[in-house]
Amino acid sequence: RNKVQLSRYHQLLLDNGEERNEHLAEDPALEQHTTVLKEALTEQDDRRLTDIQVSLRTNALRIARDVRPKFVTNLIVKDPYQLKSKPDTLKQLVDSKDHKVKRATVALLSIIASAHDGTKYLLSQDENLVAYLCEIVKHEERGSVTQRFA
């Protein structure tokens, strides 16, 4: 047990104090999350939509910065928001009456947009998305959590 712990600390030192958690960017965990997100979208289950988006964002933040683009690329391939078939999905989520859904969506979008492929993906789906998000954020309470995530 001590050897495992020492090995983990040694790896943290090698990675400049960041846990790499590269396995979180891989398909099995991401596949399960994207499936749940797609189901929640279909069922219009606000609680599940919020929980799964928060979970995806948390997993992305647990991954070392240099591995995060791989996570975003894998997420894009899975198309969890089904943007190819339903391009208005993000606008509907950001317009949600449930503030938690809106906040979770904007927070996950910030992770997606933080990678070059993610920005290209979002803009290729809807070139007005950024302007739309800016408009939404302008109407949020000053300093709100949603505003900070955007």
Side-chain angles (χ1 to χ4, degrees), residues 87-97 102 105-106 109 122-123 125-140 146 150:
D88 288 339
T89 302
L90 288 176
K91 286 183 179 177
Q92 290 170 356
L93 291 172
V94 172
D95 279 341
S96 175
K97 301 249 188 266
K102 180 188 290 191
T105 303
V106 171
L109 287 178
L122 291 173
L123 292 175
Q125 302 305 315
D126 184 351
E127 60 193 32
N128 298 318
L129 182 63
V130 174
Y132 186 74
L133 287 172
C134 289
E135 198 59 37
I136 293 291
V137 170
K138 271 199 261 182
H139 298 291
E140 287 290 314
T146 305

PDB file of all heavy atoms in Angstrom, residues 87-97 102 105-106 109 122-123 125-140 146 150:
ATOM      1  N   PRO A  87     -29.437  21.007 -34.035  1.00  0.00           N
ATOM      2  CA  PRO A  87     -28.522  22.129 -33.805  1.00  0.00           C
ATOM      3  C   PRO A  87     -28.986  23.144 -32.761  1.00  0.00           C
ATOM      4  O   PRO A  87     -28.179  23.904 -32.239  1.00  0.00           O
ATOM      5  CB  PRO A  87     -28.394  22.781 -35.189  1.00  0.00           C
ATOM      6  CG  PRO A  87     -29.444  22.198 -36.035  1.00  0.00           C
ATOM      7  CD  PRO A  87     -29.925  20.941 -35.400  1.00  0.00           C
ATOM      8  N   ASP A  88     -30.253  23.177 -32.426  1.00  0.00           N
ATOM      9  CA  ASP A  88     -30.750  24.157 -31.450  1.00  0.00           C
ATOM     10  C   ASP A  88     -30.658  23.686 -30.005  1.00  0.00           C
ATOM     11  O   ASP A  88     -31.064  24.403 -29.084  1.00  0.00           O
ATOM     12  CB  ASP A  88     -32.207  24.512 -31.756  1.00  0.00           C
ATOM     13  CG  ASP A  88     -32.337  25.376 -32.994  1.00  0.00           C
ATOM     14  OD1 ASP A  88     -31.339  26.009 -33.373  1.00  0.00           O
ATOM     15  OD2 ASP A  88     -33.438  25.405 -33.572  1.00  0.00           O
ATOM     16  N   THR A  89     -30.113  22.498 -29.788  1.00  0.00           N
ATOM     17  CA  THR A  89     -30.054  21.928 -28.438  1.00  0.00           C
ATOM     18  C   THR A  89     -29.380  22.865 -27.445  1.00  0.00           C
ATOM     19  O   THR A  89     -29.900  23.091 -26.352  1.00  0.00           O
ATOM     20  CB  THR A  89     -29.320  20.573 -28.450  1.00  0.00           C
ATOM     21  OG1 THR A  89     -29.994  19.703 -29.335  1.00  0.00           O
ATOM     22  CG2 THR A  89     -29.263  19.959 -27.083  1.00  0.00           C
ATOM     23  N   LEU A  90     -28.224  23.412 -27.805  1.00  0.00           N
ATOM     24  CA  LEU A  90     -27.498  24.270 -26.862  1.00  0.00           C
ATOM     25  C   LEU A  90     -28.285  25.534 -26.528  1.00  0.00           C
ATOM     26  O   LEU A  90     -28.339  25.953 -25.373  1.00  0.00           O
ATOM     27  CB  LEU A  90     -26.127  24.635 -27.410  1.00  0.00           C
ATOM     28  CG  LEU A  90     -25.118  23.503 -27.412  1.00  0.00           C
ATOM     29  CD1 LEU A  90     -23.820  23.937 -28.070  1.00  0.00           C
ATOM     30  CD2 LEU A  90     -24.858  23.000 -26.008  1.00  0.00           C
ATOM     31  N   LYS A  91     -28.914  26.118 -27.516  1.00  0.00           N
ATOM     32  CA  LYS A  91     -29.717  27.316 -27.256  1.00  0.00           C
ATOM     33  C   LYS A  91     -30.870  26.989 -26.309  1.00  0.00           C
ATOM     34  O   LYS A  91     -31.190  27.765 -25.421  1.00  0.00           O
ATOM     35  CB  LYS A  91     -30.243  27.909 -28.564  1.00  0.00           C
ATOM     36  CG  LYS A  91     -29.166  28.613 -29.353  1.00  0.00           C
ATOM     37  CD  LYS A  91     -29.723  29.239 -30.602  1.00  0.00           C
ATOM     38  CE  LYS A  91     -28.624  29.950 -31.363  1.00  0.00           C
ATOM     39  NZ  LYS A  91     -29.105  30.524 -32.619  1.00  0.00           N
ATOM     40  N   GLN A  92     -31.485  25.826 -26.500  1.00  0.00           N
ATOM     41  CA  GLN A  92     -32.577  25.429 -25.621  1.00  0.00           C
ATOM     42  C   GLN A  92     -32.088  25.235 -24.188  1.00  0.00           C
ATOM     43  O   GLN A  92     -32.761  25.632 -23.231  1.00  0.00           O
ATOM     44  CB  GLN A  92     -33.238  24.149 -26.129  1.00  0.00           C
ATOM     45  CG  GLN A  92     -34.017  24.350 -27.413  1.00  0.00           C
ATOM     46  CD  GLN A  92     -34.450  23.038 -28.036  1.00  0.00           C
ATOM     47  OE1 GLN A  92     -34.118  21.955 -27.560  1.00  0.00           O
ATOM     48  NE2 GLN A  92     -35.194  23.130 -29.140  1.00  0.00           N
ATOM     49  N   LEU A  93     -30.911  24.624 -24.029  1.00  0.00           N
ATOM     50  CA  LEU A  93     -30.366  24.403 -22.691  1.00  0.00           C
ATOM     51  C   LEU A  93     -29.977  25.720 -22.016  1.00  0.00           C
ATOM     52  O   LEU A  93     -30.210  25.917 -20.825  1.00  0.00           O
ATOM     53  CB  LEU A  93     -29.168  23.459 -22.742  1.00  0.00           C
ATOM     54  CG  LEU A  93     -29.486  22.012 -23.092  1.00  0.00           C
ATOM     55  CD1 LEU A  93     -28.203  21.222 -23.316  1.00  0.00           C
ATOM     56  CD2 LEU A  93     -30.323  21.360 -22.011  1.00  0.00           C
ATOM     57  N   VAL A  94     -29.382  26.613 -22.779  1.00  0.00           N
ATOM     58  CA  VAL A  94     -28.970  27.897 -22.216  1.00  0.00           C
ATOM     59  C   VAL A  94     -30.187  28.763 -21.897  1.00  0.00           C
ATOM     60  O   VAL A  94     -30.158  29.576 -20.977  1.00  0.00           O
ATOM     61  CB  VAL A  94     -27.989  28.616 -23.180  1.00  0.00           C
ATOM     62  CG1 VAL A  94     -27.700  30.023 -22.726  1.00  0.00           C
ATOM     63  CG2 VAL A  94     -26.694  27.830 -23.289  1.00  0.00           C
ATOM     64  N   ASP A  95     -31.280  28.557 -22.619  1.00  0.00           N
ATOM     65  CA  ASP A  95     -32.526  29.287 -22.361  1.00  0.00           C
ATOM     66  C   ASP A  95     -33.396  28.615 -21.301  1.00  0.00           C
ATOM     67  O   ASP A  95     -34.479  29.109 -20.993  1.00  0.00           O
ATOM     68  CB  ASP A  95     -33.359  29.393 -23.644  1.00  0.00           C
ATOM     69  CG  ASP A  95     -32.889  30.513 -24.539  1.00  0.00           C
ATOM     70  OD1 ASP A  95     -32.191  31.423 -24.054  1.00  0.00           O
ATOM     71  OD2 ASP A  95     -33.221  30.473 -25.741  1.00  0.00           O
ATOM     72  N   SER A  96     -32.936  27.521 -20.760  1.00  0.00           N
ATOM     73  CA  SER A  96     -33.725  26.744 -19.814  1.00  0.00           C
ATOM     74  C   SER A  96     -34.221  27.610 -18.652  1.00  0.00           C
ATOM     75  O   SER A  96     -33.516  28.487 -18.164  1.00  0.00           O
ATOM     76  CB  SER A  96     -32.893  25.589 -19.265  1.00  0.00           C
ATOM     77  OG  SER A  96     -33.603  24.901 -18.266  1.00  0.00           O
ATOM     78  N   LYS A  97     -35.433  27.333 -18.228  1.00  0.00           N
ATOM     79  CA  LYS A  97     -35.997  28.028 -17.062  1.00  0.00           C
ATOM     80  C   LYS A  97     -35.287  27.584 -15.781  1.00  0.00           C
ATOM     81  O   LYS A  97     -35.234  28.316 -14.801  1.00  0.00           O
ATOM     82  CB  LYS A  97     -37.491  27.736 -16.957  1.00  0.00           C
ATOM     83  CG  LYS A  97     -38.262  28.172 -18.178  1.00  0.00           C
ATOM     84  CD  LYS A  97     -39.143  29.338 -17.860  1.00  0.00           C
ATOM     85  CE  LYS A  97     -40.050  29.654 -19.028  1.00  0.00           C
ATOM     86  NZ  LYS A  97     -39.492  30.660 -19.893  1.00  0.00           N
ATOM     87  N   LYS A 102     -28.921  25.751 -17.018  1.00  0.00           N
ATOM     88  CA  LYS A 102     -28.231  26.820 -17.754  1.00  0.00           C
ATOM     89  C   LYS A 102     -26.778  26.931 -17.295  1.00  0.00           C
ATOM     90  O   LYS A 102     -25.854  26.952 -18.104  1.00  0.00           O
ATOM     91  CB  LYS A 102     -28.952  28.147 -17.527  1.00  0.00           C
ATOM     92  CG  LYS A 102     -28.313  29.324 -18.240  1.00  0.00           C
ATOM     93  CD  LYS A 102     -28.934  30.651 -17.837  1.00  0.00           C
ATOM     94  CE  LYS A 102     -30.331  30.759 -18.387  1.00  0.00           C
ATOM     95  NZ  LYS A 102     -30.874  32.124 -18.234  1.00  0.00           N
ATOM     96  N   THR A 105     -24.667  23.909 -18.314  1.00  0.00           N
ATOM     97  CA  THR A 105     -24.411  23.924 -19.759  1.00  0.00           C
ATOM     98  C   THR A 105     -23.312  24.917 -20.098  1.00  0.00           C
ATOM     99  O   THR A 105     -22.362  24.582 -20.814  1.00  0.00           O
ATOM    100  CB  THR A 105     -25.700  24.268 -20.545  1.00  0.00           C
ATOM    101  OG1 THR A 105     -26.709  23.321 -20.214  1.00  0.00           O
ATOM    102  CG2 THR A 105     -25.454  24.253 -22.033  1.00  0.00           C
ATOM    103  N   VAL A 106     -23.418  26.129 -19.573  1.00  0.00           N
ATOM    104  CA  VAL A 106     -22.405  27.157 -19.843  1.00  0.00           C
ATOM    105  C   VAL A 106     -21.047  26.718 -19.302  1.00  0.00           C
ATOM    106  O   VAL A 106     -20.021  26.914 -19.956  1.00  0.00           O
ATOM    107  CB  VAL A 106     -22.837  28.524 -19.257  1.00  0.00           C
ATOM    108  CG1 VAL A 106     -21.714  29.539 -19.338  1.00  0.00           C
ATOM    109  CG2 VAL A 106     -24.067  29.048 -19.990  1.00  0.00           C
ATOM    110  N   LEU A 109     -19.681  24.093 -21.650  1.00  0.00           N
ATOM    111  CA  LEU A 109     -19.296  24.751 -22.904  1.00  0.00           C
ATOM    112  C   LEU A 109     -17.961  25.474 -22.764  1.00  0.00           C
ATOM    113  O   LEU A 109     -17.175  25.514 -23.705  1.00  0.00           O
ATOM    114  CB  LEU A 109     -20.379  25.731 -23.358  1.00  0.00           C
ATOM    115  CG  LEU A 109     -21.648  25.121 -23.916  1.00  0.00           C
ATOM    116  CD1 LEU A 109     -22.649  26.210 -24.271  1.00  0.00           C
ATOM    117  CD2 LEU A 109     -21.364  24.248 -25.121  1.00  0.00           C
ATOM    118  N   LEU A 122     -17.911  24.013 -31.922  1.00  0.00           N
ATOM    119  CA  LEU A 122     -19.051  24.840 -31.529  1.00  0.00           C
ATOM    120  C   LEU A 122     -19.404  25.858 -32.615  1.00  0.00           C
ATOM    121  O   LEU A 122     -20.574  26.064 -32.932  1.00  0.00           O
ATOM    122  CB  LEU A 122     -18.777  25.550 -30.202  1.00  0.00           C
ATOM    123  CG  LEU A 122     -18.707  24.648 -28.980  1.00  0.00           C
ATOM    124  CD1 LEU A 122     -18.262  25.437 -27.757  1.00  0.00           C
ATOM    125  CD2 LEU A 122     -20.040  23.968 -28.726  1.00  0.00           C
ATOM    126  N   LEU A 123     -18.383  26.478 -33.193  1.00  0.00           N
ATOM    127  CA  LEU A 123     -18.643  27.477 -34.227  1.00  0.00           C
ATOM    128  C   LEU A 123     -19.142  26.858 -35.530  1.00  0.00           C
ATOM    129  O   LEU A 123     -19.911  27.472 -36.259  1.00  0.00           O
ATOM    130  CB  LEU A 123     -17.399  28.323 -34.477  1.00  0.00           C
ATOM    131  CG  LEU A 123     -17.006  29.240 -33.327  1.00  0.00           C
ATOM    132  CD1 LEU A 123     -15.692  29.950 -33.619  1.00  0.00           C
ATOM    133  CD2 LEU A 123     -18.101  30.237 -33.021  1.00  0.00           C
ATOM    134  N   GLN A 125     -21.126  24.364 -35.709  1.00  0.00           N
ATOM    135  CA  GLN A 125     -22.519  23.971 -35.511  1.00  0.00           C
ATOM    136  C   GLN A 125     -23.449  25.170 -35.638  1.00  0.00           C
ATOM    137  O   GLN A 125     -24.552  25.062 -36.143  1.00  0.00           O
ATOM    138  CB  GLN A 125     -22.716  23.298 -34.145  1.00  0.00           C
ATOM    139  CG  GLN A 125     -21.873  22.084 -33.924  1.00  0.00           C
ATOM    140  CD  GLN A 125     -22.057  21.039 -35.003  1.00  0.00           C
ATOM    141  OE1 GLN A 125     -23.158  20.731 -35.407  1.00  0.00           O
ATOM    142  NE2 GLN A 125     -20.953  20.490 -35.481  1.00  0.00           N
ATOM    143  N   ASP A 126     -22.993  26.316 -35.131  1.00  0.00           N
ATOM    144  CA  ASP A 126     -23.831  27.521 -35.153  1.00  0.00           C
ATOM    145  C   ASP A 126     -22.905  28.719 -35.031  1.00  0.00           C
ATOM    146  O   ASP A 126     -22.384  28.998 -33.949  1.00  0.00           O
ATOM    147  CB  ASP A 126     -24.840  27.489 -34.005  1.00  0.00           C
ATOM    148  CG  ASP A 126     -25.803  28.653 -34.021  1.00  0.00           C
ATOM    149  OD1 ASP A 126     -25.607  29.596 -34.823  1.00  0.00           O
ATOM    150  OD2 ASP A 126     -26.758  28.627 -33.232  1.00  0.00           O
ATOM    151  N   GLU A 127     -22.730  29.438 -36.120  1.00  0.00           N
ATOM    152  CA  GLU A 127     -21.797  30.569 -36.108  1.00  0.00           C
ATOM    153  C   GLU A 127     -22.269  31.714 -35.212  1.00  0.00           C
ATOM    154  O   GLU A 127     -21.490  32.570 -34.818  1.00  0.00           O
ATOM    155  CB  GLU A 127     -21.543  31.070 -37.522  1.00  0.00           C
ATOM    156  CG  GLU A 127     -22.791  31.541 -38.229  1.00  0.00           C
ATOM    157  CD  GLU A 127     -22.600  31.752 -39.710  1.00  0.00           C
ATOM    158  OE1 GLU A 127     -21.803  31.032 -40.314  1.00  0.00           O
ATOM    159  OE2 GLU A 127     -23.247  32.655 -40.252  1.00  0.00           O
ATOM    160  N   ASN A 128     -23.540  31.723 -34.862  1.00  0.00           N
ATOM    161  CA  ASN A 128     -24.077  32.769 -33.991  1.00  0.00           C
ATOM    162  C   ASN A 128     -24.082  32.365 -32.521  1.00  0.00           C
ATOM    163  O   ASN A 128     -24.569  33.128 -31.682  1.00  0.00           O
ATOM    164  CB  ASN A 128     -25.507  33.128 -34.421  1.00  0.00           C
ATOM    165  CG  ASN A 128     -25.543  33.680 -35.824  1.00  0.00           C
ATOM    166  OD1 ASN A 128     -24.697  34.480 -36.203  1.00  0.00           O
ATOM    167  ND2 ASN A 128     -26.501  33.230 -36.607  1.00  0.00           N
ATOM    168  N   LEU A 129     -23.561  31.186 -32.209  1.00  0.00           N
ATOM    169  CA  LEU A 129     -23.618  30.684 -30.840  1.00  0.00           C
ATOM    170  C   LEU A 129     -22.894  31.597 -29.861  1.00  0.00           C
ATOM    171  O   LEU A 129     -23.402  31.889 -28.782  1.00  0.00           O
ATOM    172  CB  LEU A 129     -23.055  29.263 -30.762  1.00  0.00           C
ATOM    173  CG  LEU A 129     -23.091  28.608 -29.393  1.00  0.00           C
ATOM    174  CD1 LEU A 129     -24.528  28.435 -28.919  1.00  0.00           C
ATOM    175  CD2 LEU A 129     -22.390  27.259 -29.422  1.00  0.00           C
ATOM    176  N   VAL A 130     -21.709  32.066 -30.220  1.00  0.00           N
ATOM    177  CA  VAL A 130     -20.937  32.918 -29.313  1.00  0.00           C
ATOM    178  C   VAL A 130     -21.696  34.220 -29.040  1.00  0.00           C
ATOM    179  O   VAL A 130     -21.823  34.643 -27.888  1.00  0.00           O
ATOM    180  CB  VAL A 130     -19.531  33.202 -29.874  1.00  0.00           C
ATOM    181  CG1 VAL A 130     -18.788  34.213 -29.011  1.00  0.00           C
ATOM    182  CG2 VAL A 130     -18.727  31.914 -29.977  1.00  0.00           C
ATOM    183  N   ALA A 131     -22.231  34.832 -30.076  1.00  0.00           N
ATOM    184  CA  ALA A 131     -23.002  36.070 -29.895  1.00  0.00           C
ATOM    185  C   ALA A 131     -24.230  35.798 -29.028  1.00  0.00           C
ATOM    186  O   ALA A 131     -24.583  36.607 -28.166  1.00  0.00           O
ATOM    187  CB  ALA A 131     -23.417  36.637 -31.250  1.00  0.00           C
ATOM    188  N   TYR A 132     -24.851  34.663 -29.234  1.00  0.00           N
ATOM    189  CA  TYR A 132     -26.033  34.288 -28.468  1.00  0.00           C
ATOM    190  C   TYR A 132     -25.681  34.111 -26.985  1.00  0.00           C
ATOM    191  O   TYR A 132     -26.384  34.609 -26.102  1.00  0.00           O
ATOM    192  CB  TYR A 132     -26.634  33.008 -29.043  1.00  0.00           C
ATOM    193  CG  TYR A 132     -27.939  32.612 -28.411  1.00  0.00           C
ATOM    194  CD1 TYR A 132     -29.105  33.299 -28.703  1.00  0.00           C
ATOM    195  CD2 TYR A 132     -28.001  31.560 -27.507  1.00  0.00           C
ATOM    196  CE1 TYR A 132     -30.310  32.948 -28.115  1.00  0.00           C
ATOM    197  CE2 TYR A 132     -29.199  31.202 -26.920  1.00  0.00           C
ATOM    198  CZ  TYR A 132     -30.350  31.902 -27.229  1.00  0.00           C
ATOM    199  OH  TYR A 132     -31.527  31.550 -26.641  1.00  0.00           O
ATOM    200  N   LEU A 133     -24.575  33.424 -26.717  1.00  0.00           N
ATOM    201  CA  LEU A 133     -24.130  33.229 -25.332  1.00  0.00           C
ATOM    202  C   LEU A 133     -23.783  34.565 -24.677  1.00  0.00           C
ATOM    203  O   LEU A 133     -24.108  34.791 -23.508  1.00  0.00           O
ATOM    204  CB  LEU A 133     -22.927  32.285 -25.283  1.00  0.00           C
ATOM    205  CG  LEU A 133     -23.224  30.821 -25.549  1.00  0.00           C
ATOM    206  CD1 LEU A 133     -21.924  30.036 -25.671  1.00  0.00           C
ATOM    207  CD2 LEU A 133     -24.094  30.232 -24.462  1.00  0.00           C
ATOM    208  N   CYS A 134     -23.153  35.449 -25.425  1.00  0.00           N
ATOM    209  CA  CYS A 134     -22.818  36.769 -24.881  1.00  0.00           C
ATOM    210  C   CYS A 134     -24.089  37.531 -24.513  1.00  0.00           C
ATOM    211  O   CYS A 134     -24.142  38.191 -23.472  1.00  0.00           O
ATOM    212  CB  CYS A 134     -21.996  37.573 -25.892  1.00  0.00           C
ATOM    213  SG  CYS A 134     -20.317  36.970 -26.102  1.00  0.00           S
ATOM    214  N   GLU A 135     -25.088  37.420 -25.358  1.00  0.00           N
ATOM    215  CA  GLU A 135     -26.363  38.093 -25.096  1.00  0.00           C
ATOM    216  C   GLU A 135     -27.023  37.539 -23.825  1.00  0.00           C
ATOM    217  O   GLU A 135     -27.524  38.285 -22.991  1.00  0.00           O
ATOM    218  CB  GLU A 135     -27.287  37.928 -26.306  1.00  0.00           C
ATOM    219  CG  GLU A 135     -28.422  38.894 -26.355  1.00  0.00           C
ATOM    220  CD  GLU A 135     -27.993  40.356 -26.372  1.00  0.00           C
ATOM    221  OE1 GLU A 135     -26.971  40.697 -26.998  1.00  0.00           O
ATOM    222  OE2 GLU A 135     -28.688  41.156 -25.721  1.00  0.00           O
ATOM    223  N   ILE A 136     -26.992  36.215 -23.680  1.00  0.00           N
ATOM    224  CA  ILE A 136     -27.569  35.571 -22.490  1.00  0.00           C
ATOM    225  C   ILE A 136     -26.831  36.034 -21.238  1.00  0.00           C
ATOM    226  O   ILE A 136     -27.439  36.388 -20.228  1.00  0.00           O
ATOM    227  CB  ILE A 136     -27.493  34.023 -22.606  1.00  0.00           C
ATOM    228  CG1 ILE A 136     -28.393  33.513 -23.718  1.00  0.00           C
ATOM    229  CG2 ILE A 136     -27.801  33.352 -21.281  1.00  0.00           C
ATOM    230  CD1 ILE A 136     -29.863  33.654 -23.463  1.00  0.00           C
ATOM    231  N   VAL A 137     -25.516  36.042 -21.307  1.00  0.00           N
ATOM    232  CA  VAL A 137     -24.697  36.386 -20.143  1.00  0.00           C
ATOM    233  C   VAL A 137     -24.892  37.855 -19.754  1.00  0.00           C
ATOM    234  O   VAL A 137     -24.869  38.198 -18.572  1.00  0.00           O
ATOM    235  CB  VAL A 137     -23.212  36.058 -20.422  1.00  0.00           C
ATOM    236  CG1 VAL A 137     -22.309  36.616 -19.346  1.00  0.00           C
ATOM    237  CG2 VAL A 137     -23.027  34.555 -20.526  1.00  0.00           C
ATOM    238  N   LYS A 138     -25.128  38.718 -20.728  1.00  0.00           N
ATOM    239  CA  LYS A 138     -25.362  40.137 -20.429  1.00  0.00           C
ATOM    240  C   LYS A 138     -26.569  40.330 -19.521  1.00  0.00           C
ATOM    241  O   LYS A 138     -26.601  41.238 -18.711  1.00  0.00           O
ATOM    242  CB  LYS A 138     -25.600  40.918 -21.727  1.00  0.00           C
ATOM    243  CG  LYS A 138     -24.346  41.455 -22.352  1.00  0.00           C
ATOM    244  CD  LYS A 138     -24.682  42.561 -23.314  1.00  0.00           C
ATOM    245  CE  LYS A 138     -24.696  42.038 -24.729  1.00  0.00           C
ATOM    246  NZ  LYS A 138     -24.981  43.075 -25.724  1.00  0.00           N
ATOM    247  N   HIS A 139     -27.553  39.445 -19.662  1.00  0.00           N
ATOM    248  CA  HIS A 139     -28.782  39.580 -18.883  1.00  0.00           C
ATOM    249  C   HIS A 139     -28.726  38.853 -17.542  1.00  0.00           C
ATOM    250  O   HIS A 139     -29.679  38.921 -16.773  1.00  0.00           O
ATOM    251  CB  HIS A 139     -29.982  39.083 -19.704  1.00  0.00           C
ATOM    252  CG  HIS A 139     -30.184  39.888 -20.946  1.00  0.00           C
ATOM    253  ND1 HIS A 139     -30.602  41.200 -20.928  1.00  0.00           N
ATOM    254  CD2 HIS A 139     -29.983  39.583 -22.244  1.00  0.00           C
ATOM    255  CE1 HIS A 139     -30.670  41.658 -22.154  1.00  0.00           C
ATOM    256  NE2 HIS A 139     -30.298  40.703 -22.977  1.00  0.00           N
ATOM    257  N   GLU A 140     -27.625  38.180 -17.280  1.00  0.00           N
ATOM    258  CA  GLU A 140     -27.444  37.519 -15.987  1.00  0.00           C
ATOM    259  C   GLU A 140     -27.087  38.567 -14.933  1.00  0.00           C
ATOM    260  O   GLU A 140     -26.567  39.637 -15.246  1.00  0.00           O
ATOM    261  CB  GLU A 140     -26.303  36.494 -16.063  1.00  0.00           C
ATOM    262  CG  GLU A 140     -26.635  35.248 -16.821  1.00  0.00           C
ATOM    263  CD  GLU A 140     -27.628  34.370 -16.093  1.00  0.00           C
ATOM    264  OE1 GLU A 140     -27.470  34.140 -14.887  1.00  0.00           O
ATOM    265  OE2 GLU A 140     -28.571  33.914 -16.757  1.00  0.00           O
ATOM    266  N   THR A 146     -23.091  31.813 -13.571  1.00  0.00           N
ATOM    267  CA  THR A 146     -23.200  31.601 -15.014  1.00  0.00           C
ATOM    268  C   THR A 146     -22.310  32.575 -15.763  1.00  0.00           C
ATOM    269  O   THR A 146     -21.628  32.196 -16.709  1.00  0.00           O
ATOM    270  CB  THR A 146     -24.671  31.748 -15.475  1.00  0.00           C
ATOM    271  OG1 THR A 146     -25.483  30.856 -14.724  1.00  0.00           O
ATOM    272  CG2 THR A 146     -24.818  31.458 -16.948  1.00  0.00           C
ATOM    273  N   ALA A 150     -18.954  31.664 -18.263  1.00  0.00           N
ATOM    274  CA  ALA A 150     -18.937  32.054 -19.687  1.00  0.00           C
ATOM    275  C   ALA A 150     -17.669  32.799 -19.956  1.00  0.00           C
ATOM    276  O   ALA A 150     -16.825  32.620 -20.605  1.00  0.00           O
ATOM    277  CB  ALA A 150     -20.118  32.936 -20.011  1.00  0.00           C
TER     278      ALA A 150
END
